[in-house]
Structures are given as structure tokens and as C-alpha cells.
């Protein structure tokens, strides 16, 4: 019998509080965000992207970043991330006691200009100073390579454009990078090659994958990343979020639901440290707070355990 070459365990990073809530029209209260954090921790989530330091006028949903970080619990073993879109954001993030600061740089120049109003080259030139600010705060630097494989209005992003961002991240002293499947139109072959190539070129680098699910390939892309040796996978509660300025039906633009990633890993025997049943309390509460239903398969179709224990209808 042939078996998949899978790791014994993988890290899961919950990005719903940042990448998820930025897509919700109305801001949640700070105390509601902290409640979701507590539920995550109760379920075993230990890596949480909790805040963004984008300009409050751009993302008012995340304007309370400092207040959130002042209020979240700090149990041993739990790491908090914040996203900094530029140097000013990194300076604000440095004051909040984060464990990691994520800097997003698009491999595709057009997306960079539309999303951050700056070219990829501009952001790469600024990266060493951003890295210095992050290190001075005691946090680790993680570089997110947006549009690692595919970009709207363009199509396939040539691999050298992805590699130049990864190489610049390594030169700046980043502890890790993640390859972002930003458009949701990436496929497993691309993901496998991208992760294996990055690790071959930078074997000491931690490499993650940020998953979107427009084309329904998120579970297959997660599997490709696992077999390629990715250190972590990223998703959000209820599949909330996504880049809603991309064209298409908003109901398919979200992140990979973290509950589906947990369910996938559980069935493959890949340890995550997260209890699915406990995590579903995060999903349920997020739906109550946002009014946006979960897009995950496990919330709509149940788990294997649910179906195995079900009785036939009369």
C-alpha cells in the first residue's frame, strides 16, 4: 500500500481576526475580538494573527489594534502576529508586544500598486529598515509573498518574481516567509513546486502557505503544501475574509476555513494541537457576531465522526 509522504505535525495559523474581519462591513467591538481569541486558545490554537496596522481610515474594522493587543490573554506558548503594510505600520506594531510582525509584499507589481499604492521595488527597498524596527522590538519578522503564483488581470506570476521577494526577505533576516495564494486560483502543482523550490534554495527558512478558496482547491493545495514540507498553513474561522476588491462572487472569495484544515489534518493523522469540536465554538461565535455564515464543509456537512455516529432517518 502506498502512503502519502506527510509530516507528523503542522502548525496552523489563525488569521480570521485580521484577514477575516477586514472583510466585514462593520467593526466588531474590541471585547468581542478578545472573546474570539480566548475561544481559540481554549481550542488549542497557539498562533494567532490578531491585528493589522494599516491606516485606520483604510481599514476601520482593525483600527483598535493597540487596544486588542493590550487586552488579549498571554498564556505560555501562544504567539501573536500583527500585519504591518509599511514602515509606519511596523513602528506602530513595535509598541504592542507582538511575537511576530508580518510584512506583505506582492510578487506582482500591479497588485502591489493597487493594494498598497507602491511598487514591489519600493517595498523591497524599504524592507531592511522595516526589519530593523521589527528586530528592535524583539519580534520575529515574517514576510508574506502575496500573489506568489497567480494575479488577477494578469494570470500566472513568473517564478523569478516570487523568488526575488523571498530572497529579499532572507537578506533582511526574516525568520519565515509564507507563499500567499491570494487570488484563490492557484493549483496544487504550483504550490508543491513553490514550497519545495523555496526550501531547496533556503533550507533554514520557515515556509508557510496562506490559503484562499475561490476555486475550491484549498484542501488540495494544503495537501500539496504538507507533502512539500511547509512549516505551517493559514486559514480563518468560517472561511471569513478574502480580497473583496478582486472580481467575482463574494461568497467564494474567502480564506480557507481553518475548521476544514483541522478536519483534513485530523483525518490524515497530521497533528495540529487544535481540537476541532472546541474550535467550532469559535466558528459559531464568529457567525453570531458578524452575521456571515460559515463557508466550511465541516460546518455544513459534519465530520466523519458525526456521520459515523448518525442514525438513519425513519
Amino acid at each position: 500500500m502506498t502512503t502519502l509522504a506527510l509530516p507528523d505535525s503542522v502548525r496552523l495559523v489563525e488569521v480570521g481576526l485580521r484577514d477575516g474581519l477586514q472583510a466585514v462591513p462593520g467593526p466588531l467591538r474590541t471585547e468581542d475580538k478578545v472573546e474570539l481569541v480566548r475561544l481559540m486558545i481554549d481550542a488549542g490554537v497557539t498562533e494567532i494573527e490578531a491585528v493589522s496596522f494599516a491606516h485606520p481610515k483604510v481599514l476601520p474594522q482593525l483600527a483598535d489594534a493597540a487596544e486588542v493587543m493590550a487586552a488579549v490573554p498571554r498564556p505560555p506558548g501562544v504567539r501573536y502576529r500583527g500585519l504591518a503594510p509599511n514602515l509606519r505600520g511596523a513602528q506602530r506594531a513595535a509598541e504592542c508586544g507582538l511575537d511576530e510582525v508580518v510584512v506583505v509584499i506582492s510578487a506582482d507589481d500591479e497588485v502591489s500598486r493597487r493594494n498598497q499604492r507602491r511598487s514591489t521595488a519600493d517595498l523591497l527597498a524599504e524592507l531592511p529598515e522595516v526589519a530593523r524596527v521589527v528586530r528592535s522590538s524583539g519580534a520575529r519578522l515574517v514576510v508574506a509573498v502575496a500573489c506568489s503564483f497567480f494575479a488577477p488581470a494578469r494570470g500566472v506570476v513568473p517564478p523569478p518574481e516570487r523568488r526575488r521577494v523571498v530572497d529579499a526577505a532572507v537578506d533582511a533576516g526574516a525568520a519565515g516567509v509564507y507563499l500567499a495564494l491570494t487570488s484563490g486560483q492557484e493549483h496544487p502543482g504550483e504550490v508543491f513546486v513553490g514550497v519545495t523550490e523555496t526550501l531547496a534554495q533556503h533550507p533554514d527558512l520557515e515556509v508557510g502557505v496562506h490559503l484562499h478558496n475561490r476555486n475550491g482547491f484549498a484542501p488540495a493545495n494544503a495537501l500539496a503544501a504538507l507533502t512539500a514540507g511547509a512549516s505551517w498553513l493559514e486559514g480563518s474561522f468560517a472561511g471569513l475574509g478574502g480580497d473583496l476588491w478582486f472580481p467575482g462572487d463574494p461568497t467564494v472569495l474567502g480564506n480557507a476555513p481553518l475548521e476544514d484544515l483541522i478536519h483534513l489534518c485530523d483525518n490524515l493523522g497530521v497533528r495540529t494541537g487544535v481540537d476541532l469540536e472546541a474550535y467550532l465554538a469559535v466558528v459559531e461565535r464568529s457567525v453570531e457576531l458578524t452575521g456571515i455564515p460559515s463557508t466550511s464543509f465541516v460546518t455544513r456537512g459534519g465530520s466523519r465522526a458525526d456521520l459515523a455516529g448518525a442514525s438513519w432517518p425513519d
Side-chain angles (χ1 to χ4, degrees):
M1 176 179 172
T2 302
T3 58
L4 292 169
L6 294 169
D8 293 329
S9 63
V10 70
R11 294 156 47 200
L12 295 181
V13 178
E14 167 58 82
V15 302
L17 289 171
R18 195 278 302 174
D19 200 10
L21 295 186
Q22 72 179 18
V24 177
L28 266 62
R29 300 180 304 168
T30 300
E31 53 265 42
D32 292 332
K33 296 178 183 179
V34 174
E35 179 189 0
L36 289 172
V37 169
R38 294 184 185 279
L39 290 171
M40 290 177 194
I41 293 172
D42 289 345
V45 177
T46 59
E47 297 189 53
I48 302 170
E49 188 167 294
V51 292
S52 170
F53 294 91
H55 196 287
K57 290 183 179 180
V58 176
L59 285 177
Q61 303 95 321
L62 306 177
D64 60 346
E67 291 79 6
V68 170
M69 291 313 302
V72 292
R74 302 274 185 165
V78 172
R79 293 197 295 185
Y80 289 105
R81 276 192 191 173
L83 185 143
N86 49 38
L87 180 58
R88 177 59 187 139
Q91 291 166 340
R92 291 174 56 209
E95 302 169 357
C96 292
L98 290 160
D99 300 292
E100 294 182 344
V101 174
V102 177
V103 176
V104 178
I105 301 178
S106 175
D108 178 71
D109 193 66
E110 178 64 21
V111 168
S112 181
R113 292 178 186 275
R114 286 179 176 270
N115 193 33
Q116 293 173 269
R117 302 293 186 264
R118 301 178 70 189
S119 70
T120 299
D122 290 339
L123 294 173
L124 291 176
E126 185 180 75
L127 185 57
E129 179 61 15
V130 171
R132 186 195 66 77
V133 171
V134 172
R135 284 195 299 270
S136 69
S137 73
R140 295 180 358 135
L141 174 66
V142 174
V143 173
V145 188
C147 295
S148 285
F149 305 101
F150 193 94
R154 179 187 187 182
V156 174
V157 174
E161 297 183 24
R162 176 181 69 246
R163 287 196 290 265
R164 72 166 176 162
V165 180
V166 173
D167 291 346
V170 172
D171 290 343
V177 302
Y178 67 74
L179 307 182
L181 281 57
T182 311
S183 74
Q185 286 289 6
E186 299 77 8
H187 65 71
E190 293 171 323
V191 174
F192 183 85
V193 170
V195 173
T196 54
E197 177 188 79
T198 302
L199 287 171
Q201 293 171 339
H202 305 287
D204 296 327
L205 187 65
E206 296 179 17
V207 179
V209 174
H210 178 94
L211 295 153
H212 285 218
N213 202 33
R214 175 196 289 255
N215 59 7
F217 289 179
N221 287 330
L223 183 59
L226 288 171
T227 57
S231 299
W232 77 86
L233 306 174
E234 298 192 2
S236 74
F237 47 75
L240 194 64
D243 290 292
L244 298 187
W245 49 273
F246 283 175
D249 182 342
T251 62
V252 299
L253 298 183
N255 291 284
L258 196 74
E259 57 267 32
D260 280 348
L261 297 180
I262 299 166
H263 190 218
L264 174 69
C265 290
D266 284 351
N267 280 278
L268 292 172
V270 178
R271 297 190 308 275
T272 66
V274 183
D275 180 86
L276 177 59
E277 291 303 316
Y279 181 79
L280 290 176
V282 180
V283 179
E284 181 179 357
R285 184 61 177 140
S286 78
V287 172
E288 292 173 351
L289 290 169
T290 66
I292 301 174
S294 173
T295 62
S296 71
F297 286 94
V298 76
T299 56
R300 293 177 293 165
S303 67
R304 282 168 63 108
D306 293 333
L307 192 57
S311 57
W312 289 100
D314 295 332

